Amino acid sequence: MSLPPRNSNNRPPKRQRFPPPVPEEEEEEEDEEYSAESLSDDEDEEDYSDESADDEDDEEEGGIQIAIDLGGAVREAQSRGGSPDASSSQLSVKLKSSELLDCPTCLDPLMGPIYQCTNGHLTCSSCLGKVRNQCPFCRMPIGEIRCRAMERLIESSLVPCCNAIYGCRETSPYGNQSRHEKACAYVPCFCPLPDCNYTGAYKNLQAHTRASHSWDVENLTPFVFDTPQMFNMNLAKKMTAVFQEKKEGDLIVVQAFKGTQGGVLVTVSSIVPSISGLRDLSCSIAKLNGYTTLKLGLMVKKIQNVREQEEPKDAFMFIPDYMLSDDQCKMQICVGRKYKYAHI
């Protein structure tokens, strides 16, 4: 018995297949991840756009820039005969305040060993006796737990010189800055000419004087080493005369002070940092009268700023009243290197 052919039009419709249902928790997690990623992207964009503003805020707050030396990575790379990248050997970190690296008890730079209490408050070893091994913040015992992380941070921190804005590129271990700063050649020097507020390193000051005051023949007089230079000082108007060496740019300042016991005291100074390594100068200074000459040889003092100061105690020439018939003071100066004119 043969069956009749099957009519395809009478086939039942195929069931539609749907993907397996996703648990609601997973959907929520995906939504949260998506939203978190979008938010993080937005935050990254905002951080990127506001990066310069943050830097400006940090600069306004007087932050300090320190370089943390990752010594372990450097030594490991050197032991293997390789040279570590600059990014792997040093990390630049900016702190809003250097107080973070200071002892909260004595306010001096933290130096090892550094101790902490159970609540994490720090103190330096020199303060343990002062606080009697009791945390000054929470009154918990302190002196048995070392804060190794802070010790390593302090040991590897390099701080730029305070004269970096004037051109110094030296860095020093944190807490030892004063050793370099006492010998830094970029100590700020101030322009000795009237109505000028320029401040900079002494070499930059010499260039500034040439560029901005060479026309001021009333207040600035050029001179040459080992060549006598005549000049007049009107003691009723000004008590300062400024000279600049033509070739090397040295700035020499002659100041006059009226003595408390009469007469006039005259000093000769050079605008340079008071540090070793910079050349010394000497000079002969003379007060000229019609038939009388008062002459003295002395070393040129090093100063950074010309200011109204008290009567000098040493290194000056005293002009008695009988040589001061009026306010006009005719003088002569000769400046040379080292001790050439110190004992004339």
Side-chain angles (χ1 to χ4, degrees), residues 301-339:
K301 296 190 298 185
K302 297 176 181 179
I303 62 174
Q304 288 80 55
N305 192 8
V306 176
R307 59 171 65 92
E308 295 296 332
Q309 47 187 316
E310 299 178 356
E311 182 177 321
K313 304 299 181 182
D314 56 6
F316 62 86
M317 181 178 72
F318 177 75
I319 304 176
D321 288 330
Y322 72 86
M323 296 190 70
L324 300 168
S325 57
D326 54 22
D327 292 328
Q328 295 295 329
C329 188
K330 184 178 181 181
M331 304 190 71
Q332 182 188 75
I333 188 172
C334 185
V335 182
R337 299 172 181 83
K338 296 186 177 181
Y339 305 95

Side-chain angles (χ1 to χ4, degrees), residues 170-181:
E170 293 291 330
T171 58
S172 304
Y174 185 78
N176 294 330
Q177 305 97 301
S178 59
R179 181 179 302 177
H180 160 74
E181 291 169 1

Side-chain angles (χ1 to χ4, degrees), residues 174-193:
Y174 185 78
N176 294 330
Q177 305 97 301
S178 59
R179 181 179 302 177
H180 160 74
E181 291 169 1
K182 289 179 181 178
C184 182
Y186 291 86
V187 173
C189 296
F190 300 82
C191 184
L193 293 167

